[in-house]
C-alpha cells in the first residue's frame, strides 16, 4: 500500500471512530459516568487493537506537514530572492538613468 493510501486509510479510520463515539454519546441512554467509562474503555480498546495504524498515520501526517513546510519555505525564499533581484535591477536602471543626465 502506498504511503498516501495508508495515510488516508488511517485518517478515515480515526474519523470513523470519532464519529461513532460522538454519536454513541449523543444517543446513549446511560448516565454520564457510565458513558464516560464506556467511552474510555472503547478508546483504550481501539488504541490497543490499532496502535500500529495510528502511529503510522501520525508519522505520515508529520512527514506531510514537514514536506509542506519545506516547500513553503523554498517558495518564500524564491519569492524573496525575486523581489531582491527586481529591486537591484530597478536600482541599476535608476543609476544608469542618473548617469545619462550627468553629461
Amino acid at each position: 500500500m502506498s504511503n498516501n493510501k495508508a495515510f488516508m486509510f488511517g485518517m478515515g479510520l480515526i474519523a470513523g471512530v470519532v464519529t461513532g463515539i460522538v454519536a454513541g454519546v449523543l444517543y446513549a441512554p446511560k448516565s454520564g459516568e457510565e458513558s464516560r467509562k464506556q467511552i474510555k474503555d472503547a478508546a483504550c480498546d481501539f488504541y490497543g487493537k490499532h496502535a500500529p495504524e495510528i502511529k503510522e498515520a501520525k508519522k505520515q501526517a508529520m512527514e506531510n506537514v514537514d514536506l509542506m513546510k519545506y516547500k513553503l519555505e523554498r517558495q518564500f525564499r524564491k519569492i524573496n530572492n525575486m523581489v531582491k533581484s527586481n529591486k537591484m535591477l530597478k536600482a541599476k536602471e535608476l543609476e544608469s538613468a542618473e548617469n545619462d543626465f550627468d553629461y
Side-chain angles (χ1 to χ4, degrees):
M1 187 180 287
S2 73
N3 288 340
N4 193 31
K5 287 183 180 180
F7 173 73
M8 294 304 290
F9 173 77
M11 294 304 289
L13 187 67
I14 291 169
V17 168
V18 169
T19 302
I21 289 172
V22 169
V25 169
L26 291 176
Y27 292 106
K30 298 177 184 176
S31 71
E33 187 176 324
E34 288 179 56
S35 295
R36 284 189 298 275
K37 183 181 180 325
Q38 189 176 15
I39 289 169
K40 180 181 174 185
D41 291 344
C44 289
D45 184 46
F46 175 81
Y47 183 78
K49 288 180 182 176
H50 301 287
E53 291 92 349
I54 292 170
K55 287 178 183 177
E56 181 63 28
K58 181 180 176 183
K59 179 183 167 196
Q60 289 293 323
M62 294 308 294
E63 287 175 0
N64 286 337
V65 166
D66 288 342
L67 179 63
M68 288 304 297
K69 181 180 173 185
Y70 169 76
K71 287 181 177 181
L72 287 171
E73 287 173 348
R74 193 173 70 186
Q75 282 299 107
F76 176 75
R77 282 193 303 272
K78 282 183 181 179
I79 291 169
N80 196 21
N81 289 338
M82 195 176 353
V83 168
K84 286 179 183 178
S85 177
N86 285 340
K87 284 182 179 181
M88 291 294 287
L89 183 62
K90 194 67 162 172
K92 286 180 182 179
E93 288 175 0
L94 289 173
E95 184 179 325
S96 175
E98 287 176 4
N99 289 337
D100 289 344
F101 291 119
D102 286 343
Y103 291 107

